[in-house]
Amino acid sequence: METNTAIYTERRTFGKYDAENIIGYLNEEQVQDYQPEGAEEPVTGYRYTGTERDGGTIMPCKDPTDYGQLVNAIIRASLTESEELAIHRHHQNDAETYAQEWTDYNAVCEAAKVTARQWLGMESEQ
């Protein structure tokens, strides 16, 4: 899958794309001393990498105000449902062999929860 990168002078989150999807800006990286075209002084920039030309990623999500749906959409940007189910089966059948895979999967899920809370303005909630 091809990815695209874009840099903005302000943080991006997500927006409604159509009735079934959102466009979200994932993989945020701060760019120090970013010099936007036409600007006199460098600023902090925010780089996003995604499947769309603007650095965004289209994700299935009917109700982006619902925390659970938003978390699931972010997870789906990294893992298909089939891949996620395989990880669960591996963990149940041979947790020792697949320990790193399980750790990586949990990191994806925790990062998705953090991102969803930030996007919904729930940063301080656990």
Side-chain angles (χ1 to χ4, degrees), residues 107-120:
V108 167
C109 293
E110 289 304 313
K113 291 164 48 178
V114 167
T115 299
R117 284 194 299 269
Q118 288 172 342
W119 286 358
L120 293 173

Side-chain angles (χ1 to χ4, degrees), residues 16-36:
K16 194 78 171 152
Y17 185 76
D18 60 27
E20 304 287 321
N21 300 286
I22 61 170
I23 184 166
Y25 297 85
L26 302 169
N27 310 306
E28 181 181 279
E29 296 176 56
Q30 279 194 8
V31 179
Q32 299 302 321
D33 299 320
Y34 171 61
Q35 187 72 46

Side-chain angles (χ1 to χ4, degrees), residues 43-90:
V43 297
T44 299
Y46 300 92
R47 177 184 296 127
Y48 299 94
T49 303
T51 56
E52 300 302 305
R53 296 178 101 183
D54 69 349
T57 301
I58 308 275
M59 299 173 269
C61 185
K62 290 183 182 180
D63 182 4
T65 65
D66 180 274
Y67 171 74
Q69 286 190 39
L70 196 54
V71 169
N72 189 58
I74 296 166
I75 292 170
R76 288 292 158 262
S78 298
L79 298 166
T80 66
E81 185 175 6
S82 187
E83 290 168 330
E84 185 174 13
L85 290 171
I87 292 167
H88 281 269
R89 284 191 304 275
H90 293 161

